[in-house]
Amino acid sequence: MDIGLVLQTDPPARLVVERMRRAEAAGFSHGWTFDSAVLWQEPFVIYSQILAQTERLTVGPMVTNPSTRSWEVTASTFATLNDMFGNRTVCGIGRGDSAMRVAGRQPATLARLSEAMRVIKGLAEGRSVELDGTELQLPWVRDGRLPVWMAAYGPKALALAGHQADGYILQLADPFLTEYMIKAVRRAAAEAGRDPSSVTICVAAPAYVTADDSPAALAHAREQCRWFGGMVGNHVADLVRHYGEHSELVPEALTDYIKGRQGYDYAHHGRAGNPDTAFVPDEIVDRFCLLGPVEAQLARLARLRELGVDQFAVYAMHDAIEPTIDAYGSEIIPRL
């Protein structure tokens, strides 16, 4: 199992670059960032510095979207980085949450997302594609490769990931839901005539390594990671609006907890202490995140690996970023 690191591109950018360097030295395989132009600094500029100062790390957004950049610009950006640094990027993409809603716009449709994935991947890999009735090609691309990994929760999105994407990103680490989502993606891949095992599975969630499993240590870890349940809740609320509260198409293990959700202010998005996440119970934090000492982390990772997870990406948006990187590097990654 690979281990990735997910950061926000908060200034100063040099600190993001340094933490990614530290992660590579610790054995992490991927360096991911959020992509929301209003809330954080531009990630693709920072990727160029990360790639220049590392040797093996693969970088990409978790996740970009089809709407804030034109598709040929996104493709050209990835292709340029790959040309400069040797195919060390991955395109994580979804419909768009914070990047769109903070600007008062709605996430993209799945049809638009599907078309964007086709165009971005094709152009970045040097193929001719049709975009808005015009044939386009990046003539300077040589041996380009861009895996496209799609984030999804709902049944139609899971089907699209299985039909088209090179990888699937699930932003929560609950074993029951992970198994449910992976089966849906692989079933869709098989229906599309693809090898289900060819779809890379990436689970992304906060990990907070504590010194012990004392109630005080776990309570602090929960408060540092409760924001994540609120972030996931934005997507879950969309599913409830679309499918209803008790749809057989969406597991209640995913939807039940948002009944007390009152709204969401993106000014606190992805940050510890987010006041809009008081509705998230401890049970959800424990299910969705990896909290506790090294042995507890290893036990959950072993279970995720049994379910078919190829990469666990550590969301490090809390007060122990460097200690978490170091603990994974010294005690967890070597034992995986």
Side-chain angles (χ1 to χ4, degrees):
M1 177 189 283
D2 287 337
I3 299 294
L5 177 67
V6 190
L7 298 175
Q8 294 164 340
T9 53
D10 283 320
R14 60 174 175 75
L15 183 57
V16 179
V17 175
E18 176 54 38
R19 284 170 169 165
M20 291 300 186
R21 291 178 58 194
R22 186 174 190 149
E24 181 184 64
F28 286 69
S29 62
H30 288 65
W32 302 90
T33 75
F34 282 19
D35 177 17
S36 188
V38 173
L39 297 176
W40 299 289
Q41 292 185 326
E42 171 55 40
F44 287 93
V45 175
I46 297 173
Y47 296 156
S48 67
Q49 290 297 307
I50 295 171
L51 290 166
Q53 297 186 43
T54 58
E55 297 179 356
R56 301 173 303 281
L57 203 69
T58 295
V59 304
M62 188 173 282
V63 293
T64 194
N65 66 84
S67 303
T68 53
R69 299 179 182 86
S70 65
W71 303 345
E72 66 270 29
V73 170
T74 299
S76 182
T77 302
F78 276 114
T80 301
L81 292 172
N82 284 337
D83 185 66
M84 293 173 67
F85 300 106
N87 287 335
R88 290 167 55 201
T89 68
V90 56
C91 177
I93 193 168
R95 294 175 58 227
D97 177 37
S98 64
M100 296 300 292
R101 287 182 163 126
V102 78
R105 290 175 283 173
Q106 291 300 308
T109 65
L110 289 177
R112 181 171 172 81
L113 175 56
S114 174
E115 186 69 2
M117 290 194 294
R118 179 189 67 82
V119 170
I120 291 168
K121 181 177 177 66
L123 287 175
E125 294 185 341
R127 293 188 294 278
S128 176
V129 303
E130 183 179 314
L131 176 58
D132 297 330
T134 300
E135 285 293 323
L136 297 178
Q137 186 173 18
L138 303 181
W140 46 268
V141 173
R142 298 289 184 272
D143 302 319
R145 180 177 59 83
L146 182 65
V148 175
W149 296 6
M150 179 184 156
Y153 293 105
K156 293 180 181 178
L158 293 169
L160 176 59
H163 288 161
Q164 184 175 351
D166 300 306
Y168 166 55
I169 296 171
L170 173 61
Q171 296 178 91
L172 54 80
D174 173 67
F176 172 79
L177 290 171
T178 297
E179 182 175 22
Y180 179 97
M181 304 294 185
I182 291 175
K183 285 182 177 179
V185 169
R186 288 183 169 161
R187 183 167 56 247
E191 291 170 353
R194 305 176 69 196
D195 177 2
S197 65
S198 69
V199 182
T200 302
I201 305 295
C202 175
V203 162
Y208 197 105
V209 182
T210 61
D212 54 47
D213 58 0
S214 66
L218 292 177
H220 179 76
R222 288 188 188 106
E223 290 311 309
Q224 287 293 306
C225 298
R226 197 175 303 276
W227 64 265
F228 183 68
M231 186 188 82
V232 174
N234 295 332
H235 303 285
V236 174
D238 282 346
L239 296 179
V240 170
R241 281 191 292 270
H242 188 77
Y243 294 102
E245 288 189 17
H246 304 290
S247 171
E248 61 183 17
L249 297 175
V250 183
E252 290 193 3
L254 178 62
T255 60
D256 270 356
Y257 83 99
I258 70 161
K259 291 177 181 177
R261 182 178 182 269
Q262 299 298 316
Y264 195 83
D265 182 353
Y266 281 90
H268 309 287
H269 187 63
R271 300 191 185 280
N274 186 332
D276 296 321
T277 59
F279 73 93
V280 180
D282 288 352
E283 176 199 0
I284 287 294
V285 184
D286 292 347
R287 281 173 45 200
F288 285 11
C289 307
L290 271 65
L291 312 177
V294 167
E295 294 302 326
Q297 305 267 332
L298 284 166
R300 178 74 70 86
L301 290 169
R303 178 60 181 141
L304 293 174
R305 183 167 53 189
E306 288 174 0
L307 295 173
V309 174
D310 299 298
Q311 180 182 153
F312 175 65
V314 176
Y315 273 45
M317 293 87 178
H318 47 55
D319 64 0
I321 296 175
E322 283 85 3
T324 297
I325 294 172
D326 294 344
Y328 263 75
S330 64
E331 301 185 69
I332 294 176
I333 292 174
R335 294 170 64 180
L336 288 175

